[in-house]
Amino acid sequence: MPKQTFFNLPEDKQKKLMEAARVEFSRAPLHEASISNIIKKCGVSRGSFYQYFEDKDDAFYYLLKQYTNERQERLMLLLDEHNGNLFEAMTIMFQQTLDRFEKEENRSYFKHVFLNMNHKIQNTMASGEKEKDFPDHLSVIQEHVDADLLQAESEKEIRHTIHLVRLLMFHTLVRHFSKGWTKEEAFETFTLELNLMRKGLEMKE
């Protein structure tokens, strides 16, 4: 997380700094990104940057966390719009995510994110900054899910169903970038695998 000095900045300066970071992390993955490029674009000194962040990783994960919060809010809105149907909401969200990637500035940034996926990136995108946030984070989403539409027998199973569906989304996006799939190919794969999950894979007697 940024230091308190960052949050003491006027909102427009915070946005300018984070936009400079986004541009740099769109240019190169985290391990190749340059603090020099970030501070040059937003017009702050290197000393000021270190007053706001511990290092470039700190800026990267804060930017990713902002996206995660936005995505969570969007998912809850979609769940409300679709009467708590998790599978319908996630299908629409996946399509909107692919549409978002059509803008080169978004595509480049998220390509670097998904092709360099590690535990910390996945954990930040899925459940927050710390793994212990996992149950509480999913409980917030769970409040918008209609449990009667799922074959879950407990609240724990509902939370893990949400988690599995989102993991499928992440994994499909990784393959979208790594295999060079078109938007149509990625969406077809996601809906196919989501429907298999939705129906269940075990033959009912």
Side-chain angles (χ1 to χ4, degrees), residues 110-168:
F110 286 106
K111 182 177 182 179
H112 289 142
V113 168
F114 283 103
L115 290 186
N116 292 276
M117 184 69 69
N118 57 30
H119 176 74
K120 188 173 181 179
I121 290 176
Q122 181 172 307
N123 194 53
T124 300
M125 296 184 73
S127 60
E129 295 175 351
K130 299 179 181 178
E131 193 166 348
K132 68 180 179 62
D133 295 336
F134 174 80
D136 292 337
H137 176 81
L138 293 180
S139 294
V140 173
I141 298 174
Q142 181 183 343
E143 294 175 3
H144 298 262
V145 174
D146 185 348
D148 292 337
L149 299 176
L150 301 174
Q151 294 188 42
E153 297 179 354
S154 66
E155 291 190 358
K156 182 177 180 180
E157 287 190 1
I158 294 171
R159 289 195 296 272
H160 279 271
T161 300
I162 298 169
H163 182 59
L164 288 172
V165 172
R166 295 199 308 170
L167 282 178
L168 173 60

Side-chain angles (χ1 to χ4, degrees), residues 6 9-23 38 41-42 53 62-63 66:
F6 172 82
L9 290 171
E11 186 176 349
D12 62 327
K13 290 188 177 181
Q14 291 183 34
K15 289 182 177 179
K16 185 176 181 181
L17 181 51
M18 295 317 300
E19 174 59 16
R22 187 199 62 76
V23 169
I38 296 175
K41 183 169 182 60
C42 64
F53 299 98
Y62 179 63
L63 184 64
Q66 287 184 312

Side-chain angles (χ1 to χ4, degrees), residues 2-6 46-54:
K3 300 177 182 179
Q4 186 57 46
T5 47
F6 172 82
R46 182 174 290 270
S48 293
F49 179 88
Y50 284 111
Q51 287 182 345
Y52 305 141
F53 299 98
E54 291 291 341

